[in-house]
Structures are given as structure tokens and as C-alpha cells.
Amino acid sequence: MSKVAVVTGASQGIGAATVAAYRKLGYLVVANSRRITPPDDPGVLAVPGDIADPAVGARVIEAGLNEYATRGIRFNAVSPGVIRTPMHPAETHEFLAGLHPMARLGEILHVDGGQSAGH
């Protein structure tokens, strides 16, 4: 039985890397982005649309429930805010940080059991 991941913002940056990482682990992926195109990978179901629209969110989950519900789905969620990545030019960092209650951008957290920190 394959596990299924739903990834929003899946066409670039953290989202695209997350899709690739899940596929390497054997997951099936429901991938969403405003401008996503169907990939050559049959293990990735692309659902285009702006996730800020509640109808799109419902469509993403419905699509997943329709190619993967019979295979068993367990949900976990990671919802990063604005993260300091090359996607945001350095000159916008101060403005973007001001949108957060802590007045700073998020950083990349390596949730890898200490692998990136060495042994």
C-alpha cells in the first residue's frame, strides 16, 4: 500500500523539492500550484488552482480521495510562512518580515533526525 502526500505550491521551490522527495520515498503525490502542469510521472496527480480559493482546496482533496482513498491515507501537515529562500529577492526580505508577528522571515528547518548535523 502506497502512502499519499498532498503538496501545495508544488511547481517550484520548497514545494517542487517536497514532491521529488516524496516520490523518491515511494509516495504517490497530489500536487497543487496555480501554474502546475501534469508531469510525466504517473505517481503525481497535478491539480492546478490557487489554494487560497476554498473550492480549489476541496478539489485537491477530492482528486486525491478519488486516484488514492482505497489505498489508505494518513494526514500530517507542514505549513511554512514566508521562508528565506532564493524565491524572494533580498531587497524584499525586510518588507516580508514585517508581515510576520515576530517581524522576521522563517528559516529552513532540517527535520531529518540529525542527519544534516552529522553523527
Side-chain angles (χ1 to χ4, degrees), residues 2 16 25 27 30 38-39 45 51-52 66 68-69 72 90 95-96 103 109 111 113:
S2 295
L25 293 172
Y27 281 67
V30 180
L45 174 62
I51 198 66
N66 284 338
Y68 304 136
F95 169 78
L96 293 171
L109 301 176
V111 184

Side-chain angles (χ1 to χ4, degrees), residues 96-114:
L96 293 171
L99 299 175
H100 290 266
M102 295 181 67
R104 65 181 193 200
L105 293 179
E107 300 290 339
I108 295 173
L109 301 176
H110 298 279
V111 184
D112 61 7

Side-chain angles (χ1 to χ4, degrees), residues 19-104:
V19 169
Y22 273 120
R23 288 300 294 138
K24 279 185 181 179
L25 293 172
Y27 281 67
L28 300 172
V29 177
V30 180
N32 163 260
S33 179
R34 289 179 295 210
R35 291 184 285 279
I36 196 164
T37 56
D40 292 334
D41 183 347
V44 177
L45 174 62
V47 182
D50 186 344
I51 198 66
D53 177 350
V56 172
R59 195 168 70 233
V60 168
I61 298 304
E62 183 179 318
L65 288 174
N66 284 338
E67 278 149 328
Y68 304 136
T70 60
R71 298 179 183 166
I73 298 175
R74 178 175 63 195
F75 290 92
N76 293 305
V78 177
S79 181
V82 179
I83 304 297
R84 187 182 307 273
T85 68
M87 181 174 144
H88 304 291
E91 60 270 13
T92 66
H93 289 182
E94 184 177 338
F95 169 78
L96 293 171
L99 299 175
H100 290 266
M102 295 181 67
R104 65 181 193 200

